Amino acid sequence: GCWMMDKAEELRSILRKLPDVYKSGDIEGYMAYYSPDLAANYSGVFMKSDEARKFLRSLFEGNGKSLEFHVGEFQMQFSESNDAAVISYPWREKFQFGDGRVTDTEYYETDVWFRRNGEWKMSNVHQSTIKEHQS
């Protein structure tokens, strides 16, 4: 019925809350949206789902934390049936690693999402580093 959120709006609402989930340090909550067959390219480093999860967890070890996190405007393209989407957006993060090092980096990311068994999951991540700022 019309009262139900359509699939596209469902994904938009996930995208609106994901940055806050990430920034809060709830990495398990964030990775709940990773598909088991995720393929990731983090600035030229290719990883499968388990490697990507391990990599993300390692960032937050020993008090690693996101100090500032800004997401730019989302470009969204949906399949005709609205169960696949390509999302592209710029983001910038100031991050403090466990060893105290702080980075301030601008990225551009493109994600592919599929809706399977009634749930949206990210199946592909391609992140590029645009600019490193000197803190």
Side-chain angles (χ1 to χ4, degrees):
C2 294
W3 59 271
M4 282 183 68
M5 201 184 291
D6 74 356
K7 296 177 196 170
E9 188 47 48
E10 192 178 61
L11 181 57
R12 283 190 191 97
S13 89
I14 291 170
L15 293 171
R16 279 193 293 269
K17 72 177 184 189
L18 266 186
D20 293 331
V21 173
Y22 171 85
K23 196 167 184 298
S24 74
D26 179 10
I27 293 310
E28 299 306 318
Y30 180 79
M31 292 190 303
Y33 291 97
Y34 279 9
S35 165
D37 61 357
L38 176 89
N41 175 346
Y42 296 121
S43 302
V45 180
F46 295 93
M47 299 184 194
K48 292 195 167 92
S49 177
D50 49 349
E51 298 167 310
R53 289 166 194 267
K54 203 166 140 187
F55 169 69
L56 262 187
R57 283 190 192 105
S58 75
L59 295 177
F60 286 83
E61 272 166 16
N63 278 337
K65 60 177 165 286
S66 186
L67 301 175
E68 285 176 39
F69 189 82
H70 304 284
V71 178
E73 202 177 322
F74 289 106
Q75 298 279 39
M76 311 179 77
Q77 295 160 293
F78 285 89
S79 64
E80 261 178 70
S81 53
N82 272 357
D83 50 14
V86 178
I87 317 291
S88 302
Y89 55 97
W91 57 281
R92 180 171 176 174
E93 181 179 37
K94 201 173 222 180
F95 195 89
Q96 182 177 329
F97 290 85
D99 62 9
R101 204 162 43 95
V102 173
T103 54
D104 179 359
T105 313
E106 282 179 62
Y107 301 94
Y108 194 82
E109 184 167 328
T110 300
D111 301 329
V112 179
W113 288 73
F114 286 109
R115 195 172 187 275
R116 299 184 184 131
N117 308 317
E119 289 188 313
W120 281 105
K121 299 281 183 189
M122 205 186 308
S123 71
N124 205 295
V125 177
H126 191 131
Q127 172 190 303
S128 305
T129 300
I130 303 303
K131 190 174 180 188
E132 293 275 0
H133 296 268
Q134 298 309 311
S135 333

